[in-house]
Amino acid sequence: MREVLRVPGGSGVDLSSYDAKATPAGPRDKAAGLAATAHMGEHLADLQERLWAASTAGDRRRVLLVLQGMDTSGKGGTVKHVIGLFNPSGCRITAFKAPTHEERQHSFLWRISRALPEPGEIGIFDRSHYEDVLVARVRALAPRKEIARRYGKINRFEKSLADDGVTVVKVFLHISYDQQRRRLLKRLDNADKHWKFNPGDIEDRALWPAYQKAYQIALDRCSTPEAPWFLIPADRKWYRNWAVSKLLLEHLEALDPRYPKAEFDVEESRARLLQGS
Amino acid sequence: MREVLRVPGGSGVDLSSYDAKATPAGPRDKAAGLAATAHMGEHLADLQERLWAASTAGDRRRVLLVLQGMDTSGKGGTVKHVIGLFNPSGCRITAFKAPTHEERQHSFLWRISRALPEPGEIGIFDRSHYEDVLVARVRALAPRKEIARRYGKINRFEKSLADDGVTVVKVFLHISYDQQRRRLLKRLDNADKHWKFNPGDIEDRALWPAYQKAYQIALDRCSTPEAPWFLIPADRKWYRNWAVSKLLLEHLEALDPRYPKAEFDVEESRARLLQGS
């Protein structure tokens, strides 16, 4: 699965060649997909507990899920439905908005560094440092030369994370232009969803080709062996949730975290408890 | 329900008069309790989304659940099973440990203030500023006079939170001495649970009466109209989860958060989307 969704870096990604409705290596239909995702929940929570338990004995490993995608691609839905399968106490979720005044006084990686998962945790970024080569590029929020330098900075930063025991899982939720229109219209149809709608989202649609190009460059330059990009077709929500769950499951299984052995005398503790304590 | 579990402040709480196995106002048995809790999940998540949505339009209200209780009373289990019913992206969970060197350089409320939920969020404290009048009192970690002053400081702090739109829900998970022994023994019986066991927990059992007294004082002095304490019998996990869920549900229903009205022209946006954008 990891190999199926992995974006080969440095080879000129062409997003238009990826069908956003595809379901590569996935369950055969929605019902099977929902069942398979629910079934993974227990395994995910079990592996998460092991990862956390291992950290209490000094294991520094952790996972960082980076979610990127156009508006309505389902970053929030993924957090709700996939991260909702985990124990919330071990999850550190950060949604990155336009940088604040304080954040703009620092390197673009400053706020990212402050939101990293600690050992044993699952970190989740809803948007990330990639915004600094996506919207920043499309809307020219920084000089061209500075943006050009950021890809290398990102790669070095992510390499240092990997060296420090962070398994970085970068997911691009790929939706089609038409699917975005349907989802935006659906929000307009339901008054309870109007708060999610921003007329600025329509302006951004005019920049769709520029965003796709910015994504292509980011995926191309920053899909590294230490921190590969995974492209998940996201027009079908059930497939998106299944695929992100499966990706996390495979990465956690590869980490194979173990419950630490007791560093105290179990029998002595039992005896003390039974003798009245 | 809120009234059933509420601890009357200033009236001399006697914890020994509360049966930790009781199920006040609860479902008739475990099966009914589990079903009722699962059933509340959808309502809780819906109210949480409304609270979040309202915050995007300037509503500053939020909820803070404070969990306190002896070791094994189920603070972690409550986060897993009850907070697990919510959308994780709107939850801000903090587990307070022994204060760090930096934290000790500040007032005991400093680290608490930094972990508060933002408008629209559900904050969860696994232990809290109450440790500074509980373990601090039992183990004399601060001068007696300083501890005596903290109750008033806590009440003023929580009053200021209420004034700022924070609904503070303080829950004391009440377990019995015998139930704690059973739970500690169960951890010893399962090698996968040894990481949760700390031989120091046995030392603390010798201080059980002192802890119960410290809790009585804290409940008595700090169950205020703005931030009442709720005592939840916690020997039965299914009841504990049901009761915390029900408490949160009642508080969220009382807040009655509403989806904000659109501040843009819905028909114009629809037309633009349909005309090709």
Side-chain angles (χ1 to χ4, degrees):
Chain A
M1 186 64 192
R2 278 189 284 180
E3 288 318 309
V4 173
L5 299 174
R6 185 182 184 130
V7 177
S11 59
V13 184
D14 177 10
L15 285 182
S16 68
S17 72
Y18 288 92
D19 179 3
K21 276 195 300 293
T23 59
R28 68 179 183 287
D29 59 20
K30 182 174 175 180
L34 294 176
T37 305
H39 182 70
M40 274 186 274
E42 205 178 318
H43 298 288
L44 289 169
D46 175 60
L47 285 159
Q48 178 196 17
E49 183 172 282
R50 288 169 186 265
L51 188 69
W52 177 259
S55 79
T56 65
D59 190 333
R60 288 182 55 77
R61 294 180 301 167
R62 52 210 122 151
V63 173
L64 173 62
L65 175 67
V66 173
L67 294 170
Q68 285 286 164
M70 300 295 288
D71 286 325
T72 77
S73 63
K75 301 180 289 294
T78 301
V79 174
K80 182 174 175 180
H81 295 287
V82 179
I83 303 309
L85 300 169
F86 290 91
N87 182 337
S89 71
C91 298
R92 185 180 296 259
I93 305 169
T94 310
F96 291 98
K97 317 271 180 202
T100 63
H101 174 77
E102 186 188 18
E103 288 167 351
R104 277 185 280 112
Q105 307 310 306
H106 298 274
S107 145
F108 72 104
L109 293 170
W110 181 74
R111 63 178 185 163
I112 304 298
S113 302
R114 293 158 59 96
L116 292 171
E118 295 185 5
E121 289 184 337
I122 314 273
I124 300 98
F125 285 176
D126 174 346
R127 303 186 188 271
S128 66
H129 43 301
Y130 281 95
E131 292 297 323
D132 296 285
V133 292
L134 294 167
V135 63
R137 183 181 190 97
V138 172
R139 295 197 174 269
L141 303 179
R144 201 82 184 179
K145 275 193 179 165
E146 161 61 14
I147 289 174
R149 275 193 295 268
R150 287 181 180 170
Y151 302 97
K153 287 183 182 176
I154 288 174
N155 288 343
R156 288 189 292 279
F157 172 69
E158 293 179 353
K159 169 104 174 55
S160 76
L161 294 183
D163 289 345
D164 200 25
V166 184
T167 296
V168 184
V169 182
K170 299 184 298 196
V171 167
F172 171 56
L173 300 175
H174 179 47
I175 56 162
S176 64
Y177 187 71
D178 284 346
Q179 181 66 17
Q180 189 189 58
R181 177 192 286 114
R182 277 190 290 273
R183 291 186 183 175
L184 289 173
L185 284 170
K186 218 169 162 187
R187 286 184 184 173
L188 291 176
D189 289 344
N190 182 349
D192 286 356
K193 302 287 180 195
H194 286 172
W195 66 279
K196 288 189 176 185
F197 190 91
N198 178 350
D201 297 347
I202 301 181
E203 323 288 335
D204 261 6
R205 277 174 68 73
L207 299 169
W208 185 276
Y211 272 108
Q212 298 293 299
K213 192 177 166 201
Y215 267 109
Q216 285 181 174
I217 299 169
L219 268 57
D220 208 43
R221 299 205 191 157
C222 300
S223 196
T224 59
E226 296 84 11
W229 268 105
F230 300 95
L231 185 151
I232 295 188
D235 272 10
R236 298 179 201 269
K237 294 179 181 175
W238 67 263
Y239 178 78
R240 173 200 79 203
N241 291 339
W242 175 83
V244 178
S245 303
K246 185 76 177 169
L247 260 187
L248 288 172
L249 184 62
E250 287 185 358
H251 280 92
L252 283 164
E253 283 175 342
L255 288 176
D256 191 22
R258 305 291 177 99
Y259 287 113
K261 287 217 171 76
E263 290 189 349
F264 58 91
D265 186 330
V266 176
E267 286 317 313
E268 190 210 359
S269 288
R270 195 194 315 270
R272 285 175 67 196
L273 279 166
L274 290 170
Q275 282 156 24
S277 286
Chain B
M1 187 62 194
R2 280 189 284 179
E3 288 318 309
V4 173
L5 299 175
R6 184 180 184 132
V7 177
S11 60
V13 184
D14 176 10
L15 285 183
S16 68
S17 71
Y18 288 91
D19 179 3
K21 276 195 299 292
T23 60
R28 67 178 183 288
D29 58 22
K30 182 174 175 178
L34 293 177
T37 304
H39 181 70
M40 274 186 274
E42 205 178 318
H43 298 287
L44 288 168
D46 175 61
L47 285 159
Q48 177 196 19
E49 183 172 283
R50 287 170 186 264
L51 187 70
W52 177 258
S55 79
T56 65
D59 190 335
R60 290 182 54 79
R61 294 180 302 167
R62 52 208 122 151
V63 173
L64 173 62
L65 174 69
V66 173
L67 294 171
Q68 285 286 164
M70 300 294 287
D71 285 327
T72 77
S73 63
K75 299 180 291 294
T78 301
V79 173
K80 181 174 177 180
H81 296 287
V82 178
I83 302 308
L85 299 169
F86 290 90
N87 182 337
S89 71
C91 298
R92 185 179 296 259
I93 305 170
T94 310
F96 291 98
K97 317 272 179 200
T100 63
H101 175 78
E102 187 188 17
E103 287 168 351
R104 277 185 280 112
Q105 307 310 306
H106 298 273
S107 145
F108 72 104
L109 293 170
W110 181 74
R111 63 178 186 162
I112 304 299
S113 302
R114 293 159 59 96
L116 291 171
E118 295 185 5
E121 290 184 336
I122 314 272
I124 300 97
F125 285 175
D126 175 346
R127 302 188 188 271
S128 67
H129 43 301
Y130 281 93
E131 291 298 323
D132 296 285
V133 292
L134 293 166
V135 63
R137 183 180 190 99
V138 171
R139 294 197 174 269
L141 303 180
R144 201 85 184 176
K145 274 192 179 166
E146 161 60 14
I147 289 174
R149 275 193 296 268
R150 288 180 180 170
Y151 301 98
K153 287 183 182 176
I154 287 175
N155 287 343
R156 287 188 293 279
F157 173 69
E158 292 178 353
K159 170 104 174 52
S160 76
L161 294 183
D163 289 345
D164 199 25
V166 184
T167 296
V168 185
V169 182
K170 300 184 297 194
V171 167
F172 170 56
L173 300 175
H174 179 48
I175 56 163
S176 63
Y177 187 71
D178 283 347
Q179 182 65 16
Q180 189 189 60
R181 176 192 286 116
R182 278 190 288 274
R183 291 186 182 175
L184 289 173
L185 284 169
K186 216 168 162 186
R187 287 185 183 173
L188 291 177
D189 288 344
N190 182 348
D192 285 357
K193 301 287 180 196
H194 286 172
W195 65 279
K196 289 188 177 188
F197 190 91
N198 178 349
D201 297 348
I202 302 181
E203 323 288 334
D204 261 6
R205 277 173 67 74
L207 299 169
W208 186 275
Y211 271 108
Q212 297 294 299
K213 190 176 168 204
Y215 267 111
Q216 285 181 171
I217 298 169
L219 268 57
D220 207 44
R221 299 204 191 158
C222 300
S223 196
T224 59
E226 297 85 10
W229 269 106
F230 299 96
L231 184 151
I232 295 188
D235 271 9
R236 298 178 202 270
K237 293 178 183 176
W238 67 264
Y239 178 78
R240 172 200 80 202
N241 290 341
W242 175 84
V244 177
S245 303
K246 185 77 178 168
L247 259 188
L248 288 172
L249 185 61
E250 287 185 357
H251 280 92
L252 283 164
E253 283 176 341
L255 289 177
D256 191 21
R258 305 290 178 99
Y259 286 112
K261 288 217 172 76
E263 289 189 349
F264 58 92
D265 186 330
V266 176
E267 286 316 312
E268 188 210 1
S269 287
R270 196 194 315 272
R272 286 176 66 197
L273 279 167
L274 290 172
Q275 280 155 25
S277 285

